[in-house]
Amino acid sequence: MTNRLKKIFAVVIPASTVLAGGTAWFVTRLPASSFENTGSQGEPSAQLMARGEYVSRLTDCVACHSVPGGAAYTGGLKMVTPMGAIFATNITPDRETGIGAYTLADFDRALRSGVAKDGHRLYPAMPYPSYAKLSDDDVKALYAYFMKGVPAVHLENRKSTIPWPLNMRWPLAFWNVVFAPSDVYRPDTSKDAQWNRGAYLVEGAGHCGACHTPRGLAFNEKGTDRHSAAFVSGALIDGWFAPSLRNDANTGLGRWSEDDVFRFLKTGRNDHAVVFGSMTEAFNNSTQFFSDDDLRAVAHYLKSLPGNAQRDGTPWQYEPTQAKALQPAGRQGIPGAQTYMAKCSFCHGADGRGQWEWVPPLAGAASSLVPDSSSSINVTLNGSGRVVAAGVPDSYRMPSYREQLSDRDIADVLTFVRSSWGNRGASVTAAEVKTLRKKTRPADSGVVVLKIN
Amino acid sequence: MELTINGVQHHIDVEPDTPLLWVLRDDLKMTGTKYGCGLAQCGACTVLINGNAARSCVTPVGELGSAAITTIEAIEQDEIGQRVVAAWIRHQVPQCGYCQSGQVMAATSLLKQTPHPTDDDIRAVMVNLCRCGTYNAISAAIHDLAGDVGQEGAKK
């Protein structure tokens, strides 16, 4: 070996070793927790438990960590990724299969940093990039509730179907550096307390962005807070288009007042819309349990997020253009018009305006105006899930048309809806309906509403 | 709240999202209007609201206000309704009869708006379901009426 080569090796080998060692240390290290040396928490006070229970409603853990028919928080929900399926885990305080052996610091690291007790990195299907913003007090309360308020259930977690090497978790440490915020919510001192509470709830605990923020190539949310115009600007997830929560006149909350937002999250409905798709679950188990003050804060904050006027164009205005076309003689020449009158108009109205807060309008609805037609198709194929407000099931529900209408029928009626009454969403093709028909299942009327106490 | 049904004002005490069908059948014991599917799919619950066919199972009573509601019980007090019922008897339309109060309401509404409906008009409007398959008899009865009502209209 020449001297020159020896010299190169003398530099490269130690450098590589240091680099590999550093990488290994970095990807396996336990992130810091505010609760490192706090030791046993003892018996939590009733007040702390009550707060923890409330925080669990804000964070809606039950949404993913339960399945219909299963015990609460025992996990099992299947989430499909392009690489394979992953399953939510048992987070009851069972020592072997749940989180019973977790200390407060372990719990904190899983919740806010996405690192389990044994050091493996969680997939960001767990919204720890949002939960990172939770306050120490809320984390402590949530821990008390999960350890003492939730019954322990022994149930093994299901293994993910993602194959090696894609199932290696350590690269997520680098993902976290780039995409996951790691700091608790810092109040914006230029805003009032209500606004800051709203920001904490939307960006943090409520993790609204998990569905409503578009994701990048690495499945990262393209924005995690108010500083990004992509934050809660609308996104396609699991066959539903979660609309913008910003002040977009057509595809967002631009035409909603703060009170409209409040009523929607409190009762599941208002004159603009009724919860459907994945939002039904978020309403049934989470938002309706927010305190009125917290919901007002959410509404106040959301209404402060600017829309994208360039994207949305002219704000929607009602146009009575279809009234004549829908007369018996007129509707026969328009594809979809007859189906609309026979199947849709008795609830949504021949004028497309729905029936007050009980049946949502299709005229001016975000789902009728947004270019992506997934939600229109999905709700027509599969109907809507049951909305249970304050323990009372809804009187009116969208039925499933999967068995009654063909792909062509659905494409025609939705194209009609999306181009009537001033709506200008893109037309729908039979191929799009066919694709979603295969990928989706009818909505279940037996929804799970978690009863706490 | 107050509802005007068949020209009579009724005071009822229900939640505003209660379907009109429940008020008719359960509160007012007017059981001529039938419960079929509860999802606006079959038409057995059809009533007239201000002369237009509406499906009472998906009509919340809260916002009806002073709208004129007509049910099968009073349909023969309406000139066209009376003729529809007569034609239904003439053509022996009903078999089991369960959907027929809704069919009669839908036909009355059609003839009020379109006195001389074509086959296409009838097909477009008469979308109530009938499991006995009385569709041909319904169509024949309406065609019969179209001439009848038309002539009456011409006289006035």
Side-chain angles (χ1 to χ4, degrees):
Chain A
M1 200 180 274
T2 64
N3 275 344
R4 192 157 162 245
L5 265 181
K6 277 182 189 165
K7 272 183 195 164
I8 290 173
F9 277 119
V11 175
V12 167
I13 290 172
S16 316
T17 312
V18 167
L19 194 65
T23 306
W25 169 82
F26 178 77
V27 300
T28 53
R29 100 203 140 91
L30 286 181
S33 162
S34 331
F35 305 108
E36 249 13 297
N37 300 307
T38 46
S40 166
Q41 297 302 299
E43 232 11 74
S45 68
Q47 203 188 0
L48 188 66
M49 293 277 287
R51 175 162 180 177
E53 178 189 313
Y54 182 68
V55 175
S56 81
R57 288 299 196 184
L58 301 177
T59 50
D60 199 10
C61 310
V62 74
C64 294
H65 288 281
S66 304
V67 286
Y73 299 122
T74 50
L77 183 79
K78 183 179 181 179
M79 297 185 205
V80 180
T81 76
M83 289 105 68
I86 55 175
F87 295 90
T89 54
N90 183 344
I91 54 167
T92 72
D94 180 64
R95 288 191 73 84
E96 284 86 42
T97 60
I99 59 169
Y102 275 52
T103 64
L104 174 56
D106 295 335
F107 181 81
D108 177 27
R109 275 189 283 265
L111 189 66
R112 293 194 291 192
S113 307
V115 178
K117 185 180 172 66
D118 66 4
H120 82 261
R121 263 63 186 166
L122 305 181
Y123 288 113
M126 163 74 176
Y128 61 86
S130 302
Y131 293 159
K133 295 195 171 73
L134 287 172
S135 69
D136 285 0
D137 284 349
D138 279 351
V139 173
K140 213 170 148 180
L142 200 58
Y143 177 73
Y145 169 68
F146 269 101
M147 290 299 137
K148 307 287 178 183
V150 172
V153 179
H154 188 87
L155 187 71
E156 289 291 346
N157 289 318
R158 293 182 66 179
K159 291 253 181 305
S160 128
T161 65
I162 299 179
W164 188 86
L166 294 169
N167 65 352
M168 289 194 295
R169 304 288 193 111
W170 60 264
L172 284 163
F174 296 108
W175 188 94
N176 289 339
V177 173
V178 184
F179 298 120
S182 58
D183 205 1
V184 294
Y185 180 74
R186 302 272 174 227
D188 181 338
T189 49
S190 70
K191 310 280 191 182
D192 59 30
Q194 188 191 32
W195 187 95
N196 276 296
R197 177 66 182 165
Y200 176 77
L201 293 167
V202 172
E203 297 174 8
H207 63 286
C208 307
C211 291
H212 290 274
T213 301
R215 291 181 186 255
L217 287 174
F219 304 116
N220 55 299
E221 290 169 37
K222 282 181 176 169
T224 54
D225 61 27
R226 60 209 172 273
H227 300 300
S228 161
F231 181 63
V232 294
S233 64
L236 180 66
I237 182 160
D238 289 340
W240 297 101
F241 189 85
S244 165
L245 305 180
R246 307 175 68 90
N247 271 294
D248 292 301
N250 296 329
T251 62
L253 303 179
R255 284 176 281 122
W256 295 31
S257 67
E258 275 188 40
D259 197 54
D260 290 337
V261 178
F262 170 81
R263 282 202 301 136
F264 186 76
L265 297 173
K266 179 87 187 166
T267 66
R269 54 186 71 245
N270 63 24
D271 287 351
H272 300 283
V274 176
V275 294
F276 71 107
S278 329
M279 190 63 195
T280 310
E281 200 293 325
F283 167 78
N284 282 341
N285 281 300
S286 181
T287 66
Q288 68 171 316
F289 297 100
F290 282 35
S291 70
D292 285 5
D293 283 348
D294 275 354
L295 285 184
R296 297 248 176 240
V298 166
H300 182 59
Y301 164 79
L302 287 177
K303 286 300 289 178
S304 78
L305 299 176
N308 181 344
Q310 206 180 358
R311 180 181 76 172
D312 265 35
T314 332
W316 171 86
Q317 276 196 316
Y318 187 79
E319 287 168 21
T321 42
Q322 295 297 358
K324 195 165 177 209
L326 289 175
Q327 292 298 315
R331 69 178 95 138
Q332 287 142 26
I334 309 168
Q338 174 60 23
T339 307
Y340 182 80
M341 288 306 286
K343 304 287 180 192
C344 318
S345 71
F346 291 106
C347 295
H348 294 287
D351 58 5
R353 294 187 127 150
Q355 301 190 66
W356 304 280
E357 73 264 46
W358 310 115
V359 179
L362 302 177
S367 58
S368 302
L369 288 161
V370 76
D372 187 298
S373 54
S374 300
S375 289
S376 301
I377 299 172
N378 203 337
V379 79
T380 309
L381 279 170
N382 300 311
S384 57
R386 175 147 278 161
V387 181
V388 183
V392 182
D394 48 4
S395 302
Y396 308 99
R397 220 149 30 97
M398 173 78 178
S400 159
Y401 285 94
R402 172 179 285 270
E403 305 295 336
Q404 281 195 49
L405 299 177
S406 68
D407 295 338
R408 167 55 47 203
D409 290 337
I410 292 180
D412 285 348
V413 76
L414 291 178
T415 299
F416 174 80
V417 165
R418 291 164 65 83
S419 58
S420 298
W421 315 296
N423 289 344
R424 44 175 189 269
S427 58
V428 175
T429 66
E432 290 171 295
V433 180
K434 190 178 177 187
T435 307
L436 266 175
R437 187 189 287 272
K438 277 192 196 142
K439 277 170 50 183
T440 57
R441 293 283 167 268
D444 193 346
S445 60
V447 295
V448 181
V449 182
L450 178 68
K451 289 202 178 87
I452 297 183
N453 294 333
Chain B
M1 71 187 71
E2 305 290 325
L3 287 182
T4 312
I5 301 168
N6 301 333
V8 179
Q9 224 175 37
H10 294 270
H11 180 79
I12 46 158
D13 184 20
V14 295
E15 295 291 320
D17 63 331
T18 309
L20 174 60
L21 180 62
W22 294 162
V23 172
L24 293 174
R25 290 184 60 89
D26 292 354
D27 294 78
L28 303 174
K29 311 295 178 199
M30 298 168 70
T31 52
T33 307
K34 302 303 182 196
Y35 169 57
C37 66
L39 290 164
Q41 302 294 289
C42 75
C45 67
T46 305
V47 299
L48 302 186
I49 297 177
N50 294 330
N52 296 312
R55 301 212 163 156
S56 60
C57 74
V58 290
T59 303
V61 292
E63 312 284 338
L64 283 172
S66 58
I69 299 157
T70 310
T71 69
I72 190 72
E73 281 85 355
I75 198 65
E76 287 176 277
Q77 290 163 26
D78 179 277
E79 194 199 339
I80 296 176
Q82 192 183 26
R83 286 167 195 281
V84 170
V85 173
W88 246 239
I89 294 168
R90 204 156 56 241
H91 287 263
Q92 290 291 293
V93 173
Q95 288 192 29
C96 88
Y98 195 80
C99 71
Q100 295 297 336
S101 46
Q103 303 282 8
V104 166
M105 303 311 280
T108 306
S109 164
L110 165 64
L111 291 165
K112 277 177 184 292
Q113 278 146 32
T114 315
H116 304 285
T118 62
D119 270 338
D120 283 345
D121 292 340
I122 296 171
R123 252 199 303 279
V125 172
M126 296 301 292
V127 291
N128 291 15
L129 301 182
C130 172
R131 295 200 68 179
C132 304
T134 61
Y135 304 110
N136 291 342
I138 288 172
S139 181
I142 295 175
H143 272 301
D144 186 0
L145 283 160
D148 195 5
V149 173
Q151 282 158 15
E152 288 299 310
K155 279 183 201 163
K156 281 175 192 168

